């Protein structure tokens, strides 16, 4: 059977001219093996490039997660100091006999330079709330009625404990809405007979500038669920509702962190210029393979045909 097939091939080749035999030889014995070899080489190079890209995207996600965690955890440490401060608890729990007494106590309280330094931390603002009707609303201390109608407070009630919340709600003392990043914590270390709360509001614009200063070529999306809460790209407008991440964007590299109970997914998308740079990087290799595998053998075959 095998011999008959071989004899049939030989008889068929006997009918071809020498030039045609050279072309058949060139295709089967030169081009085909070289195509397979080049495909393997390019596959190895491409896989190495993908692994390099994945490592770079992983490094970007880790850097973003570290910076974000540092900023939030620094505020969390300050919150712990306020939570365990007896003087703060006494100040917001005391029932004042008059507005004048409260204002006098308020001014004296904020003359404490150590506490003022804590409240003056860069990029964050502290607010204290207490279920105390003798407090005069305004400034950094308010009655609980000033916070109970906010989305962040409603989320805290749903969760049952304090934490980090990303909300789109009305600005303080204004009718416009904007995005907020808020850390809420109950102040019940010394007593639980009155509802008392600490609110730390992060500067959303500073958060965005932090991401942009890192100057990544890749777009970075920080999501809570499907909501894009922070980004170094076009989804970072402070005055509009949070955008929703698409299925295609979820195909990027993903890393998850948890900050004060808030689960955040960091997506690093492939850079648009990465495909172009990959083509440019592969051009010398492709050019060399074309010359070695196509041009030179083809020239040699043509030379034999003319000889």
């Amino acid at each position: 059977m095998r011999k008959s097939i071989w004899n049939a091939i030989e008889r068929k080749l006997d009918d071809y001219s020498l030039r045609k035999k050279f072309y058949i030889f060139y295709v089967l014995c030169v081009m085909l093996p070289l195509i397979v070899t080049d495909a393997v080489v390019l596959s190895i190079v491409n896989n190495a490039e993908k692994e390099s890209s994945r490592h770079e995207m992983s490094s970007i996600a880790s850097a973003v997660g570290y910076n974000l965690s540092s900023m939030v955890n620094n505020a969390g440490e300050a919150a712990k100091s306020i939570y365990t401060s007896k003087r703060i608890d006494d100040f917001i729990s005391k029932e004042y006999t008059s507005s004048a007494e409260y204002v006098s106590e308020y001014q004296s309280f904020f003359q404490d330079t150590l506490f003022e330094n804590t409240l003056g931390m860069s990029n964050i603002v502290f607010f204290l709330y207490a279920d105390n009707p003798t407090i005069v609303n305004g400034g950094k201390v308010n009655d609980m009625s000033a916070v109970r109608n906010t989305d962040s407070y409603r989320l805290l009630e749903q969760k049952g404990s304090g934490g980090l919340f990303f909300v789109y709600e009305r600005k303080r003392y204004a009718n416009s809405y904007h995005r907020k990043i808020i850390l809420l914590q109950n102040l019940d270390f010394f007593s639980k007979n009155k509802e008392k709360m600490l609110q730390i509001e992060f500067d959303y614009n500073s958060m965005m500038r932090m991401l942009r200063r890192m100057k990544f070529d890749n777009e970075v999306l920080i999501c809570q669920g499907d909501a894009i809460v922070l980004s170094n790209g076009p989804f970072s407008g402070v005055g509009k509702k949070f955008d929703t991440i698409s299925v295609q964007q979820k195909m990027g590299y993903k890393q998850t962190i948890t900050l004060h109970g808030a689960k955040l997914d960091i997506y690093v998308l492939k850079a648009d210029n990465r495909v172009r740079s990959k083509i440019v990087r592969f051009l010398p290799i492709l050019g060399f393979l074309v010359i070695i595998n196509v041009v030179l053998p083809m020239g040699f075959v043509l030379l034999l045909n003319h000889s």
Side-chain angles (χ1 to χ4, degrees):
M1 177 70 176
R2 191 179 300 171
K3 189 173 182 180
S4 62
I5 294 175
W6 183 258
N7 290 334
I9 293 173
E10 284 184 337
R11 287 194 300 271
K12 188 68 175 177
L13 288 174
D14 288 340
D15 297 335
Y16 293 154
S17 64
L18 183 60
R19 175 179 293 184
K20 200 167 188 179
K21 289 178 181 179
F22 267 123
Y23 283 130
I24 294 173
F25 170 78
Y26 172 71
V27 171
L28 295 179
C29 300
V30 178
M31 282 297 295
L32 190 59
L34 287 175
I35 289 173
V36 174
T37 302
D38 293 348
V40 172
V41 171
L42 289 175
S43 176
I44 293 173
V45 174
N46 186 55
N47 287 337
E49 183 70 17
K50 284 183 179 179
E51 184 60 32
S52 174
S53 173
R54 181 175 177 80
H55 177 73
E56 182 179 343
M57 293 165 75
S58 172
S59 298
I60 290 172
S62 297
V64 170
Y66 174 80
N67 283 357
L68 191 61
S69 297
S70 296
M71 189 176 293
V72 173
N73 289 335
N74 285 341
E77 289 300 316
K80 287 181 182 178
S81 298
I82 294 174
Y83 178 71
T84 56
S85 171
K86 185 69 168 65
R87 186 183 176 195
I88 293 175
D89 185 75
D90 289 341
F91 171 66
I92 61 177
S93 298
K94 179 180 177 180
E95 294 191 1
Y96 300 93
T97 57
S98 66
S99 298
E101 181 189 5
Y102 169 77
V103 171
S104 175
E105 192 80 21
Y106 180 93
Q107 292 173 343
S108 173
F109 178 76
F110 281 99
Q111 286 176 357
D112 185 332
T113 55
L114 291 177
F115 185 67
E116 188 64 31
N117 287 338
T118 301
L119 266 65
M121 288 181 65
S122 176
N123 304 326
I124 58 177
V125 181
F126 288 74
F127 296 97
L128 297 169
Y129 300 95
D131 194 6
N132 184 351
T134 64
I135 288 177
V136 178
N137 286 338
K140 298 182 185 297
V141 183
N142 294 272
D143 182 67
M144 284 298 300
S145 59
V147 72
R148 281 182 176 141
N149 290 328
T150 63
D151 289 340
S152 51
Y153 183 82
R154 282 189 282 269
L155 289 171
L156 177 141
E157 286 188 313
Q158 292 173 13
K159 184 180 177 183
S161 62
L164 186 67
F165 304 104
F166 296 82
V167 294
Y168 178 76
E169 62 184 24
R170 189 171 64 86
K171 285 184 178 181
R172 185 177 296 271
Y173 311 120
N175 290 323
S176 59
Y177 284 72
H178 71 162
R179 298 177 181 183
K180 291 182 180 181
I181 305 173
I182 292 175
L183 179 64
L184 286 180
Q185 179 173 324
N186 288 312
L187 299 179
D188 54 4
F189 184 76
F190 294 99
S191 63
K192 298 183 180 181
N193 59 326
K194 287 184 179 180
E195 187 177 15
K196 293 162 289 186
M197 186 167 293
L198 166 67
Q199 174 182 302
I200 302 176
E201 185 174 331
F202 295 85
D203 188 329
Y204 190 88
N205 287 315
S206 295
M207 291 282 206
M208 291 191 299
R209 286 194 294 271
M210 178 269 291
L211 289 175
R212 287 170 180 162
R213 278 198 300 267
M214 299 177 83
K215 295 182 178 179
F216 297 126
D217 292 332
N218 304 65
E219 186 175 352
V220 178
L221 307 177
I222 301 174
C223 300
Q224 187 176 40
D226 287 336
I228 302 173
V229 295
L230 280 169
S231 169
N232 64 347
F235 302 102
S236 53
V238 67
K240 60 181 184 178
K241 291 183 178 181
F242 295 116
D243 296 277
T244 302
I245 189 170
S246 67
V247 175
Q248 183 178 1
Q249 288 167 331
K250 285 187 176 182
M251 299 299 290
Y253 180 85
K254 176 185 174 182
Q255 181 174 309
T256 301
I257 61 173
T258 301
L259 298 175
H260 292 271
K263 181 181 176 183
L264 302 176
D265 296 319
I266 301 173
Y267 292 93
V268 181
L269 311 187
K270 291 183 179 179
D272 291 336
N273 62 353
R274 197 162 189 90
V275 175
R276 293 193 296 271
S277 64
K278 186 183 291 188
I279 293 173
V280 171
R281 193 179 297 117
F282 283 174
L283 276 178
I285 300 175
L286 292 172
F288 176 76
L289 292 176
V290 168
I291 292 173
I292 295 298
N293 298 340
V294 179
V295 177
L296 291 181
M298 192 67 175
F300 181 70
V301 170
L302 293 175
L303 184 64
L304 286 177
N305 286 332
H306 287 291
S307 62

